[in-house]
Amino acid sequence: MYVWSKRLVIGLLVAFVTLEGLFFFLTGGGADSQLHVRTTQWITVNYILLVIWVFVWMIDQARVRGKNAWVWLLPYIICPLPTLAAFILFLQRRVG
């Protein structure tokens, strides 16, 4: 758990926000999608299962450290990657 440095997590968050911003502003709404419906369904199913798997990991990590992971559920559902980064930084705080 302590392999995550604050600079790494902040860098990942900045990269995430930058890429999301580029994706949001560069997508055009006029053309038909080149993705097949089946491909989109598989991507969606894999993403949902990955989100569930990571939240189970969050529950396990919080339980080991005596914290409550359920308060992180709503922010995690809304925005998983930044919430996961904040959760990791929260667990790395020095106690005492």
Side-chain angles (χ1 to χ4, degrees):
M1 191 64 182
Y2 289 100
V3 297
W4 288 84
S5 69
K6 288 183 181 179
R7 284 192 291 172
L8 174 65
V9 173
I10 291 171
L12 289 172
L13 281 173
V14 167
F16 172 77
V17 169
T18 303
L19 290 174
E20 283 291 319
L22 285 172
F23 177 73
F24 181 75
F25 289 116
L26 294 179
T27 54
D32 290 336
S33 175
Q34 297 298 321
L35 288 176
H36 296 277
V37 173
R38 187 106 171 126
T39 305
T40 306
Q41 290 171 344
W42 275 107
I43 290 170
T44 304
V45 167
N46 283 315
Y47 179 77
I48 290 170
L49 291 175
L50 179 66
V51 165
I52 292 169
W53 180 48
V54 170
F55 190 72
V56 168
W57 175 84
M58 288 172 63
I59 292 170
D60 180 58
Q61 293 299 311
R63 184 182 53 80
V64 167
R65 289 162 177 77
K67 306 289 183 190
N68 185 5
W70 293 105
V71 297
W72 294 87
L73 180 61
L74 183 61
Y76 184 72
I77 290 172
I78 295 170
C79 198
L81 187 60
T83 303
L84 177 62
F87 177 76
I88 290 169
L89 289 175
F90 172 73
L91 289 182
Q92 286 186 341
R93 290 184 314 169
R94 299 273 182 222
V95 179

